Amino acid sequence: MGINKYEEIAQAAIKLFERKGYHATSVQDIADEVGLQKGSLYHYISSKEELLMKITQQSINGFNRRMEKIIESQVSSKDKLILAIQHHVTYVARNMEMTTVLLREAFSLEPDHHKVIKEETDRYLKLWTTIIDEGVQADEFKPGDSRLIALAILGSANWLHRWYQEGGKMTPEEIGNYFAQIFLEGIKK
Amino acid sequence: MGINKYEEIAQAAIKLFERKGYHATSVQDIADEVGLQKGSLYHYISSKEELLMKITQQSINGFNRRMEKIIESQVSSKDKLILAIQHHVTYVARNMEMTTVLLREAFSLEPDHHKVIKEETDRYLKLWTTIIDEGVQADEFKPGDSRLIALAILGSANWLHRWYQEGGKMTPEEIGNYFAQIFLEGIKK
Amino acid sequence: MGINKYEEIAQAAIKLFERKGYHATSVQDIADEVGLQKGSLYHYISSKEELLMKITQQSINGFNRRMEKIIESQVSSKDKLILAIQHHVTYVARNMEMTTVLLREAFSLEPDHHKVIKEETDRYLKLWTTIIDEGVQADEFKPGDSRLIALAILGSANWLHRWYQEGGKMTPEEIGNYFAQIFLEGIKK
Amino acid sequence: MGINKYEEIAQAAIKLFERKGYHATSVQDIADEVGLQKGSLYHYISSKEELLMKITQQSINGFNRRMEKIIESQVSSKDKLILAIQHHVTYVARNMEMTTVLLREAFSLEPDHHKVIKEETDRYLKLWTTIIDEGVQADEFKPGDSRLIALAILGSANWLHRWYQEGGKMTPEEIGNYFAQIFLEGIKK
DNA sequence: AATGAATGAGGTTTCATTCAT
DNA sequence: AATGAATGAAACCTCATTCAT
């Protein structure tokens, strides 16, 4: 904190965008949060939207980077899926504010910027379907619609940003495990 | 359409809030959409926020009403859960815009209003855990954390508002069935 | 005054743009001049630049309209030129502020708008060369570079906006006559 | 270039003030043009306005200095007038940007500064009327209003900054000659 | 000599809401 | 029921200038 002012500003923006929403957060709010005058912010940023863009980009990149490593790893498809769920869930839980901004505010980006984020999220989805398709081919998963399955899992895992609270009775890792188990085994006795 | 002007205004608001977001939608936008002057809107509404409140309330009420009927029905817990998933999925798919406004914009409500919506969504969650708990007790479901299971299912089902498109290769009913199957049986072979 | 608010605003803008320049005139200045709040101006205009555009357009149109009538009239080229000089001079003198805005501020228009004004001023110049060329053909004027002559005359006549003051010892008509005489006969004895 | 940084800055300012206007040119623009940081400029200048003042002063001084030499020369009034026109025209043509700044932007100076420039331009005008008055007394020119004649000539000659382009079919000298001829002989056959 | 962080005032524009007609 | 003029606050952003380093 303090070393890199841009980072400090981005952190303030993440916090405020999460709490109030992008449009309801004023540049003044961000300036107040970092203790600068409104105008002084513009030494570091070129626009409020640039901040949102950087934040969402950083967020989706974090998801993609982890997922690519999992895909490249030498384990069974089932284990890849378990890892993917665990990683997604813990990443959301450990970056709640940033994830919320990505999931809720990215659509406020200007069309050009939004397109870039959209492409990255599409890529992320594809990485999920790859794992599932491979698992089906390896006879590890039931045949099915891999995109629908991926969307079901991602829905569950993303939803975490709406209810997870640090200090609850389960750790993110435990939640990830549980989610993995649900999707693999189902809840029926 | 045209009979009830308030309803017409609400429909315009739903459409615009979904498309642009609550804060990015101006009262002028809504007025344009219904073909009135900005000032004339205020014969029908008392504030922009009131519109958002009515919309989110109507939306969450729709979810709750259906769920209560399911709970009261005389079928097994498993069948209740299947019905609940089917109903939620089809309700989202058939009310995409309104659902999006509920899920993405409710947090823009003033604290007092937001609290009301929060209570209703909490109630909705509780209805889901009720079914699951009963299913566990009836030995239909594996023992587990019913809240976590409900949140997993709701996450999947809510996420639909981000990707569902009318005219896709599966109907909402088919998607609902598939989701139910995933959560009951899992995807592992 | 008061009947047409837009006209009132435009008049205030002309006065202020002339006095302080376009960029040095704030929307606040204009609002103060007409006794409105800054924001209220935007019921009548869509931007400050629109005002400048309207003003310059009205101004150059005034010049062109008069000139076209002169061209169509059935008099000798010499008399057309005299009329043109008289009209230009009196138009400048009677619309000092607007002319100043046209001549000094039009270049502040955005490229698209500026292009429109440029085309109109080019057209105006061409009307002048037409008269001169016809006069040369009719053997009324010495052979010469009609464009250069037109630019010389226009320079003199436009410059009026920098020095003319109402109530001076010569009326605009007298100045026009004198200018016409200078350009036709020269000053040499 | 480079030896005298102040001169470099002034040249950048002339170029930018001409292109965009004084108010539309930011100190940042000037800094960019000379490859310095905004703050560093203030080692050389004390304010943006000082730059405009220096530029306009240098410009009007150039006009006055030449004119004084002409007045002192031992030739007929007619030849003085011809020389004056030639010099003015070539000076404008060879210093287009600086002249434009003088003619278009001087009025943006603060009152105190503006007054100084005004006095110099008034002096310049008086030098012209002196020549004309002497020519009338020497029976070289027709009797007339010397101020009006001077303003007519200056208008033509100043207007050059709005249309002259290097590389046109006439050199500045040829244009000067032509203008002199027009004002002396007129265009009527 | 040069930087670049910071200021604080002011720029244009948008907007939810009110109200007389 | 509908208008449209008007408000006043707040939005994002720019800018000339200062100053510690």
Side-chain angles (χ1 to χ4, degrees), chain C residues 138-158:
Chain C
D139 215 29
E140 296 180 50
F141 302 143
K142 298 170 189 159
D145 186 322
S146 64
R147 184 166 168 274
L148 212 52
I149 294 167
L151 288 166
I153 299 174
L154 278 172
S156 294
N158 283 335

Side-chain angles (χ1 to χ4, degrees), chain A residues 21-23 49 52 56 101-102 104-111 113-114, chain B residues 19-24 104-105:
Chain A
Y22 173 70
H23 279 112
E49 218 222 352
L52 179 57
T56 51
V101 174
L102 172 67
R104 195 188 58 205
E105 307 293 343
F107 94 112
S108 290
L109 289 164
E110 297 296 311
H113 280 155
H114 187 253
Chain B
R19 194 166 299 175
K20 316 174 61 167
Y22 173 69
H23 279 110
R104 196 188 58 205
E105 307 292 343

